[in-house]
Amino acid sequence: MIVLGIESSCDETGVAIYSGDKGLLAHQLYSQIKLHAQYGGVVPELASRDHIRKLPLLVNAALKEAGLDFSDLEGIAFTRGPGLIGALMVGATYSEGLGLALDIPVLGVNHMEAHLMAVMLEEEKPSYPFVTLLVSGGHTQLVFVKAFGDYELLGESLDDAVGEAFDKTAKIMGLPYPGGPELAKLAENGDSERYTFPRPMLNRPGLEFSFSGIKTKALLTIESATEADYPDIAASFQAALIDTLIQKSLRALKQTGASALVVSGGVGANQYLRSELRRLSELGQFNVYFPRSEFCTDNGAMVAYLGHERLSRGEKSEQIQLVARWPIDQVTNQTDV
Ligand code: KG4
Ligand code: ZN
């Protein structure tokens, strides 16, 4: 089956084409970062309008990249949630319209499940069961993936997502939006041991996270520092966040008995997180898997892949129903019902 995947949940317009026989045939991405940078965060109305402008162009480009025509498409998958409703609406209505015109099935998929499955686009992929650390701008979750479509939420952040903690702290330092990668860049030249940041929730049992306290500590530290100290603050702050993510992930592996850890979502692009987990994995206790960095952040390839898995099992959406919130453990396989 050849599936067109469309991602428009936030500030990236992503389009990709996935073939069951040949794998990923095309992948096009347009980031709205420049549009929103002047406001210091995503402006939902502007995001929707920009998706409208870019989506048809990206679909044409993806078809060209794959050497295909519209008539070659056999299914369409779009992100149904979680996300900004207006932005989701653009991908959904485009998909429904195109699906009707081509008379092919259309399916709305879960954005977080798409992040979770992005690793399956890589040559090195885990076998079930595995634990996934989902770390993005809106989510910090540990998920036990027992099988395709069978997800148990082991723990999540009680307040801010880790990407949000990165972004807000970066903003206080005056770094451009989105601050996560900028803060990580600044940290490369910093001393991670100069400042002591708490490792939140590590002294308590369980797999919950909390990042609001460490963010406040970062604010106070920045207020009493000069710009010359920023690289050391960034390095110390990043080390505390990443250390917490890693310790909880190891705890999740132990709790579930799984031997494979997958990291997905935007913060999964963080090089320090990747290198620390690779180093620990080489000590032999577990295997670690990552999507390539460009498939950690929002993209259409993960939607096309997940859409292919579900559409080829016979699933389809009868009508558009968008959801701002859609917990990962409420995702089911239609064909199981
Ligand atoms: O998955 P994603 O692209 O969008 C959401 O679904 O939220 O994740 C975006 C988040 C932002 O908070 C961004 O700052 C963060 O991922 N991020 C990073 C890095 N690259 C992206 N955080 C730390 N280090 C990075 N290299
Ligand atoms: Zn995302």
Side-chain angles (χ1 to χ4, degrees):
M1 195 171 194
I2 296 181
V3 172
L4 175 70
I6 292 177
E7 157 62 31
S8 71
S9 66
C10 191
D11 59 347
E12 331 270 352
T13 321
V15 172
I17 299 172
Y18 186 87
S19 149
D21 294 334
K22 297 182 185 151
L24 193 64
L25 300 180
H27 152 55
Q28 298 282 331
L29 186 73
Y30 176 78
S31 171
Q32 304 178 351
I33 281 176
K34 280 202 195 105
L35 174 72
H36 301 291
Q38 55 185 311
Y39 305 101
V42 178
V43 183
E45 179 61 21
L46 295 182
S48 312
R49 286 168 190 266
D50 219 35
H51 284 307
I52 292 173
R53 270 192 289 271
K54 289 296 182 319
L55 184 52
L57 305 178
L58 290 184
V59 172
N60 288 341
L63 286 169
K64 195 167 169 206
E65 184 187 345
L68 298 175
D69 287 323
F70 278 107
S71 59
D72 295 315
L73 299 176
E74 294 168 294
I76 305 174
F78 65 90
T79 301
R80 175 159 99 82
L84 302 169
I85 291 293
L88 291 167
M89 185 62 84
V90 179
T93 47
Y94 181 93
S95 301
E96 287 287 325
L98 187 60
L100 267 178
L102 298 175
D103 195 21
I104 55 175
V106 174
L107 179 70
V109 299
N110 181 297
H111 179 80
M112 298 314 293
E113 187 188 22
H115 273 305
L116 202 148
M117 283 292 145
V119 71
M120 298 303 187
L121 289 159
E122 304 304 330
E123 235 160 67
E124 269 184 48
K125 45 178 160 269
S127 41
Y128 298 104
F130 55 87
V131 168
T132 294
L133 173 68
L134 277 176
V135 274
S136 70
H139 293 78
T140 305
Q141 299 184 324
L142 278 162
V143 182
F144 186 33
V145 182
K146 297 174 194 168
F148 179 77
D150 187 358
Y151 312 123
E152 181 187 339
L153 182 61
L154 299 169
E156 64 184 331
S157 178
L158 302 176
D159 41 56
D160 288 355
V162 65
E164 209 176 339
F166 263 103
D167 293 343
K168 287 182 179 166
T169 302
K171 196 170 179 178
I172 300 166
M173 288 191 200
L175 298 171
Y177 163 87
E182 298 289 333
L183 191 146
K185 218 187 288 164
L186 195 63
E188 281 171 19
N189 302 316
D191 173 3
S192 64
E193 291 182 3
R194 177 157 164 220
Y195 293 92
T196 311
F197 283 98
R199 268 60 174 163
M201 313 281 282
L202 277 193
N203 52 1
R204 283 202 241 163
L207 296 170
E208 255 72 54
F209 300 90
S210 163
F211 296 109
S212 65
I214 189 172
K215 209 185 56 194
T216 309
K217 164 92 184 169
L219 170 68
L220 296 174
T221 310
I222 294 163
E223 276 177 353
S224 59
T226 67
E227 260 187 51
D229 302 316
Y230 284 7
D232 293 344
I233 298 175
S236 307
F237 175 76
Q238 171 176 264
L241 290 184
I242 300 298
D243 200 25
T244 307
L245 294 178
I246 290 177
Q247 294 305 324
K248 294 269 168 160
S249 300
L250 298 182
R251 217 180 260 183
L253 287 172
K254 203 163 169 198
Q255 183 177 313
T256 56
S259 59
L261 176 69
V262 173
V263 183
S264 280
V267 182
N270 184 277
Q271 287 306 325
Y272 180 66
L273 173 63
R274 294 169 88 96
S275 64
E276 275 299 287
L277 278 175
R278 286 220 166 90
R279 186 179 64 75
L280 290 170
S281 153
E282 275 161 20
L283 299 177
Q285 301 290 324
F286 65 98
N287 294 318
V288 67
Y289 302 87
F290 304 94
R292 68 197 86 165
S293 289
E294 61 177 322
F295 292 166
C296 276
T297 44
D298 289 349
N299 65 87
M302 63 184 192
V303 176
Y305 174 82
L306 173 60
H308 175 271
E309 290 305 295
R310 291 193 168 278
L311 284 157
S312 59
R313 285 168 162 79
E315 294 190 22
K316 61 179 178 175
S317 302
E318 298 304 335
Q319 58 187 4
I320 298 179
Q321 274 182 321
L322 302 173
V323 272
R325 290 182 52 78
W326 186 3
I328 189 82
D329 52 351
Q330 285 173 24
V331 169
T332 52
N333 296 340
Q334 280 176 15
T335 41
D336 291 347
V337 181

